[in-house]
Every structure is written in C-alpha cells, then in structure tokens.
Amino acid sequence: MASAIYFCDNKGKPLLSRRYKDDVPLSAIDKFSTLLLENVEQSSIIPPCISHSGIDYLFIQHNDLYVVVLATSLSINVATIFTFLHKLVAVLEEYLKTVEEESIRDNFVIIYELLDEMMDYGIPQVTETKMLKKYITQKSFKLVKAHKKKLNAARPPSSLTNSVSWRPEGIKYKKNEAFLDIVESINMLISQNGQVIRSEILGTVKVKSRLSGMPDLKLGINDRGIFTKYLEGNDIGTTSLNGDKKGKGHDLNKNESSITNDGRKSKSNIELEDLKFHQCVRLSKFENEKIISFIPPDGDFDLMSYRLTTSIKPLILCDVKVQTYSNSRVEIFCKAKAQIKKKSVATNVEILIPVPSDADTPSFKYSHGSIKWVPEKSAILWKIRSFPGGKEYSMRAELLLPSISDINDTKVKKPVQVKFQIPYFTTSGIQIRYLKINEPTLQYKSYPWVRYITQNGDDYTIRINNS
C-alpha cells in the first residue's frame, strides 16, 4: 500500500510528510514538482497518477495543496489510496475547518497525530471523524496541554481496537428509532421538442440512527427495485416498518411493472453503476443474499449510493418559446406540465428561464404560482409551491429591448433550469422490504421509518426554442 504521504504546495514542493515504509527513497518527492511541470506542458489535464522509476505518485488537489501518496507499483491498490486521500481531506476539514497551505503549516502536530491513527504501515485504519475526536482532542491553532498526572492522560477508546471502529460503546437513547431516506436526484437534458437527450438517476440511502448499545441491522431491498427499470416510478409514502403508516401508504411487497409511453407494461433488467457502501456494510452478505447487514454509526450517515444511466421521461416538462419582435421587445411563453401520477405532487418547483442580458421593464401573466424578474442572473424565476401530477400551468412574459441591438444578442442560448421535489415517489423502483434491528444485550423495541424522495439533480435543463 502507501509508502509515504506528502502535503505539497501548488508548485509540488513538500510541506509536511509521514513515511510508513522505507521502500521509497527520501529524494523521490523532489521529482514530483518536475513531473507536474512536464505533464502541464504536454497536456492541460494532469493525470492523478504519475509513474517514474518504479514509483507511483498518486495525488489529489485541494485548494492550493497537493496531497500525494508515494508507493511502489507492486504493492499499490489505486482505488483504496484515492478513497483514503479524499477521506483524509474530509477529516482535516473537520479539525482545521479550511485545508490549505497556511493551515497545514500551523497545525502540523494535529496532522501528524491523525496520520498516525488513520494509517498503519501504509494500510488505512480508523477514518471516522467521530472516533478520532474521542482520542485526538487537540483544537486547531491551540493545543491542549498534557495533564501532569499520567493516570489522567487520554487513552484510546476501546472502539478503536474493536472491529467496529466507527461506533463507540455505551450509547443510550430513551426512544430507539432508525430513519431511512431514499433520495433520488434526476439529471436530465431535454431538447426543444421535449425529447430526452441524456438522463441519469443518482440515488442515496441516508440513515439517521438513534439506537442504543451495539445493534445489528438487516435491510432488505427488493431485487427488482435495484435491477429493474421503472419508467413511470412508484408512489410509496412514509411507512413505519412495524406496521404503522404516515401519509400515503404502500405495500412494500406488491409487485408492479413499468409502463412505457404507449401504455404497455414492460420490465427490463439493468445494472447499477457506481454502487458504493459505507464501510459498516458486510459486503459478502450483500453479494450472496442481497441483504444489507451492518452495525450503524451513531447519528447521520450515507449507507449506500448508486447511479442509473437509463432513459426516463421528464418528470417536470417545460415547453419554452422565445419570440423577438423587431429587436425592440421579446415575448416568452412557457407551459409546464407535471408528468407524474395524479396522486403525486411536486413541491417547491422553480423554473429559471433565461432572458437577453439587456432586457428590462418586464410584465407577466401566469395561471399559477408567482413570478419575479432576477436581473443579476438575466432570468425570470417562476415558483410553483404545489404542482399535482397531470396538471399543466402556463405563463407569458414580455420584456423590452434596447432600440439598437444585434439580432444575435437577442437570442437566448442558455437552457431553462428546473428544480423540484416529489415526496413519496421513486423513479428507479427501489423499495425497502424490511429493516430488522437486533440488539442482543438490551433487546429493546425499535421504531424504524422509511421515506422516499425524488428531486432534481444539479443538471436538470431544457433547451429553449428561439424564433
């Protein structure tokens, strides 16, 4: 694995280092700045891994720093190294708030302690910030003075030496509850005529654990929900897995089929991409039985994330037309339709429609919601608080243009951006079949809840039809 870790400035000069093995010479890091310069001259894109004389330089860039791992080609696991580097930066942000060259120089003692605890002989060990803060108690820019009596010196918590390093012992709650949020973000690019050019689903299973002791959880997910494509989506609701229900209920074991645009039911198998689990998940159990078994960290954490690159129809579709008259005024027509089931409701819908940068004096007519002009973004913002499935709303805007302007400047080239949130709804079809909580010592009653949310991603855009 890793032979040494270096923090370097933006020119590749070392600021701080921690060596774990002696298989890489001390002078190897001096070559890093030269290798960076050579790659910049050859290409504008610098690869994250550079090999030279049998040594691999694996690095990430953060602010004005390079965090570099040196290793020999025979002992390296690239995926593990890059995962550790990103986790190291995240832990340092918890301690230092801002990770940059100045903060590295001012807090080298804390960083050395963290590097010693997080990695042993080049192999990652404890990477959970909650566990590290129980042992490494120094604050940034201000170190805690050691106690005079040796008996009062801080000792590592027992959880650091256990196999469950992400959860301390002795946690107690008056009411034991576990909350699961299945959040799916939709990224989509839609053409002027409503055709989907590109679409993907980014999903995350978020857990909020308020459980006493050392519970062992088993989470069952429907196989079809993971490996079957649902073009229409499922309305599920917020359901207590003990039998109670909140809001819209749903039979978690009910079989459903997807519906194509022509009304026919269809099922097709697809594979998840970028499936990632929290370190608490027993991977062998999932591979063999499709059951997610784990001892959860205390508090909030992401249990699982996944990505689906599949064709789905737009959930919120906007038909936007821009008409320019003699370069003196511009009219914008927009029809928005919620293409979801009638019993579903999209909330907090925001449609950001770009306009020419020199347009002014806007006037609006709309059937629902509220509209305001956002001159700093050269756009119109249409807000609809509640958008039931199957409904269609429209708006019309008129803005004046300068008397003298180039016809190319009046054309709107930026796409429309859409934001929304649809509770009790999933697009991929993923469903939680059960969540079993077992604490062998305390044997308490627990209350697990599951909630489903579909929302826009960072890139849900619709191209504009100019005329």
Side-chain angles (χ1 to χ4, degrees):
M1 294 300 291
S3 300
I5 294 180
Y6 288 85
F7 288 86
C8 302
D9 60 19
N10 55 7
K11 295 182 180 179
K13 300 296 182 182
L15 304 172
L16 183 149
S17 66
R18 175 66 173 89
R19 294 179 59 82
Y20 298 100
K21 299 179 184 179
D22 295 327
D23 56 347
V24 173
L26 291 170
S27 59
I29 192 61
D30 297 334
K31 189 66 177 176
F32 179 63
S33 58
T34 305
L35 294 172
L36 277 179
L37 185 60
E38 291 175 355
N39 279 272
V40 169
E41 292 176 351
Q42 295 175 2
S43 173
S44 58
I45 301 176
I46 305 176
C49 180
I50 303 175
S51 297
H52 179 76
S53 300
I55 300 174
D56 288 330
Y57 298 78
L58 296 93
F59 59 92
I60 62 173
Q61 190 172 9
H62 184 79
N63 294 333
D64 58 350
L65 293 172
Y66 286 100
V67 188
V68 189
V69 164
L70 270 59
T72 58
S73 301
L74 297 177
S75 63
I76 195 169
N77 185 320
V78 175
T80 302
I81 291 296
F82 281 111
T83 302
F84 177 79
L85 287 176
H86 286 287
K87 189 64 179 178
L88 174 61
V89 171
V91 170
L92 288 176
E93 285 180 334
E94 291 290 330
Y95 275 86
L96 311 182
K97 304 304 179 185
T98 303
V99 182
E100 55 187 20
E101 181 178 343
E102 184 178 354
S103 61
I104 295 296
R105 293 182 185 276
D106 292 341
N107 296 280
F108 63 90
V109 174
I110 302 176
I111 297 173
Y112 275 126
E113 291 199 29
L114 288 171
L115 292 174
D116 285 339
E117 294 298 331
M118 295 180 68
M119 183 169 277
D120 183 23
Y121 198 64
I123 300 174
Q125 300 294 319
V126 182
T127 58
E128 285 294 322
T129 308
K130 292 181 181 179
M131 296 295 100
L132 291 167
K133 284 190 173 182
K134 290 180 178 295
Y135 180 50
I136 301 176
T137 58
Q138 285 88 346
K139 304 295 182 181
S140 58
F141 303 106
K142 183 179 180 181
L143 304 181
V144 178
K145 294 182 179 179
H147 293 283
K148 294 181 179 180
K149 294 184 179 180
K150 191 175 182 180
L151 293 176
N152 293 332
R155 297 181 180 180
S158 59
S159 55
L160 289 182
T161 58
N162 293 339
S163 59
V164 187
S165 61
W166 54 85
R167 183 181 180 91
E169 296 179 351
I171 297 175
K172 291 183 179 180
Y173 288 98
K174 291 182 179 180
K175 186 177 182 180
N176 295 283
E177 296 179 310
F179 301 89
L180 278 77
D181 284 348
I182 290 78
V183 181
E184 291 189 345
S185 300
I186 310 298
N187 287 326
M188 185 175 293
L189 175 60
I190 305 169
S191 67
Q192 296 95 325
N193 56 4
Q195 297 297 318
V196 177
I197 301 174
R198 170 179 49 82
S199 62
E200 68 174 359
I201 303 171
L202 301 178
T204 305
V205 179
K206 298 179 178 292
V207 179
K208 178 184 289 185
S209 174
R210 297 292 184 268
L211 301 172
S212 304
M214 196 67 67
D216 198 323
L217 278 62
K218 289 185 179 179
L219 177 65
I221 297 180
N222 62 318
D223 293 349
R224 295 190 314 108
I226 293 182
F227 301 108
T228 302
K229 174 170 60 179
Y230 284 75
L231 302 182
E232 187 69 17
N234 299 308
D235 298 282
I236 297 174
T238 304
T239 308
S240 167
L241 300 184
N242 288 336
D244 301 328
K245 294 185 178 180
K246 280 187 177 181
K248 300 180 180 179
H250 187 82
D251 183 357
L252 297 182
N253 293 315
K254 183 179 179 180
N255 293 325
E256 296 184 4
S257 299
S258 61
I259 303 176
T260 60
N261 291 331
D262 58 4
R264 293 181 294 104
K265 293 185 177 181
S266 67
K267 293 187 292 185
S268 58
N269 293 329
I270 57 176
E271 293 183 359
L272 288 177
E273 302 175 33
D274 298 337
L275 181 60
K276 299 177 183 178
F277 290 103
H278 190 274
Q279 63 173 321
C280 66
V281 175
R282 302 180 181 97
L283 295 180
S284 59
K285 193 85 170 176
F286 175 78
E287 292 174 356
N288 297 329
E289 304 176 25
K290 295 297 182 292
I291 296 175
I292 302 176
S293 175
F294 60 99
I295 297 175
D298 185 42
D300 301 347
F301 68 99
D302 291 346
L303 178 67
M304 181 180 82
S305 63
Y306 55 90
R307 180 166 65 94
L308 289 171
T309 304
T310 180
S311 178
I312 57 176
K313 71 178 185 180
L315 303 179
I316 304 294
L317 180 62
C318 297
D319 182 13
V320 181
K321 296 180 180 179
V322 179
Q323 182 74 44
T324 304
Y325 295 94
S326 303
N327 298 337
S328 61
R329 64 187 178 93
V330 59
E331 286 188 352
I332 298 175
F333 302 91
C334 178
K335 288 184 179 180
K337 184 176 181 180
Q339 299 191 134
I340 53 180
K341 293 182 179 180
K342 291 183 179 180
K343 61 182 179 180
S344 297
V345 178
T347 61
N348 300 321
V349 178
E350 294 185 4
I351 303 172
L352 189 67
I353 305 172
V355 299
S357 58
D358 54 354
D360 59 12
T361 319
S363 60
F364 308 115
K365 292 182 180 180
Y366 48 93
S367 61
H368 199 79
S370 62
I371 297 180
K372 70 175 182 178
W373 182 37
V374 188
E376 63 271 16
K377 294 184 179 180
S378 298
I380 297 170
L381 181 60
W382 185 12
K383 290 185 177 181
I384 304 173
R385 180 170 296 181
S386 179
F387 204 157
K391 290 288 186 180
E392 182 175 299
Y393 300 129
S394 61
M395 62 80 66
R396 175 182 174 274
E398 181 177 319
L399 299 96
L400 300 182
L401 296 172
S403 57
I404 301 176
S405 61
D406 189 350
I407 190 170
N408 293 324
D409 295 337
T410 61
K411 289 187 177 181
V412 179
K413 299 178 182 179
K414 293 182 179 180
V416 175
Q417 297 179 350
V418 183
K419 295 182 179 180
F420 59 87
Q421 190 174 85
I422 309 173
Y424 321 122
F425 183 91
T426 59
T427 308
S428 67
I430 187 171
Q431 296 181 30
I432 305 299
R433 287 164 40 218
Y434 60 84
L435 178 62
K436 297 180 180 179
I437 302 175
N438 179 35
E439 214 297 329
T441 304
L442 302 177
Q443 296 183 350
Y444 48 75
K445 290 184 179 181
S446 57
Y447 302 93
W449 296 90
V450 62
R451 181 174 61 173
Y452 300 81
I453 300 173
T454 295
Q455 62 187 18
N456 66 285
D458 295 331
D459 186 21
Y460 191 106
T461 54
I462 304 169
R463 292 177 177 174
I464 290 180
N465 185 8
N466 285 277
S467 59

